[in-house]
Amino acid sequence: MRIIAFDPGYGRTGWGVVEAGQRANEFRALGYGVMETEPALSQSLRLYSLAEQCTRLLAEYDPDHAVMETLYFSQNQTTAAGVYQAQGALLACVGQRGLPLLELSPSTIKSVIAGSGRAGKLEVGRMVERLLGIPGPIRPDDAADALAGAIAGLFHVRSGAVLAAARPGV
């Protein structure tokens, strides 16, 4: 089973693809990184660029499921609007491909990876490195967050969590 996960952002979106092994805690990172958009472009072109990059990743890695980290903003509404729009572009891309989608909160991802929903970025990053056998820190943090989401998604799918089926043409 192969899962792609996204840590949505307007200027930079983390992504990670993880494949499950035969054993319950066996994972392999197939790829990770960030999708970036040019600040000089208009809003619509930035979102289009993000969707194009997402489409290329889905074609390259051919995942079975997608994971999206749910968003929570308490103060900066300007940042929130851009991130929500980026999430929408990613959701449309996932939907066009017809991938089942699992949305996980940051605290759920942290809990699965580090055993606590209040774990810090450093602790989560180190556990992701350990679980995937990646030496040294995963950079940028957006990619590490996406890999954490992919691992958490694999745990949820294996445990029989219900996935929302994305259907093309809806």
Side-chain angles (χ1 to χ4, degrees), residues 89-144:
L90 296 167
L91 289 171
C93 182
V94 167
Q96 182 181 34
R97 184 112 177 156
L99 287 176
L101 174 70
L102 180 61
E103 294 183 86
L104 299 174
S105 70
S107 62
T108 298
I109 293 169
K110 291 175 183 180
S111 184
V112 169
I113 300 300
S116 168
R118 295 179 179 257
K121 275 194 175 289
L122 185 60
E123 184 179 355
V124 171
R126 285 186 177 149
M127 282 303 297
V128 168
E129 292 162 14
R130 185 171 158 220
L131 288 167
L132 296 173
I134 296 172
I138 300 166
R139 295 286 178 239
D141 287 341
D142 307 284

Side-chain angles (χ1 to χ4, degrees), residues 6-10 13 47 50 54 67-73 80-94 101 103-104:
F6 300 102
D7 181 29
Y10 186 60
T13 291
L47 293 172
L50 184 60
C54 178
V67 172
M68 186 85 61
E69 184 175 311
T70 57
L71 305 176
Y72 171 76
F73 289 94
V83 175
Y84 281 123
Q85 291 168 351
Q87 185 184 45
L90 296 167
L91 289 171
C93 182
V94 167
L101 174 70
E103 294 183 86
L104 299 174

Side-chain angles (χ1 to χ4, degrees), residues 40-58:
L41 295 176
S42 68
Q43 178 184 21
S44 60
L45 289 176
R46 289 180 84 175
L47 293 172
Y48 178 71
S49 171
L50 184 60
E52 277 192 318
Q53 292 175 70
C54 178
T55 298
R56 284 194 298 272
L57 285 172
L58 294 179

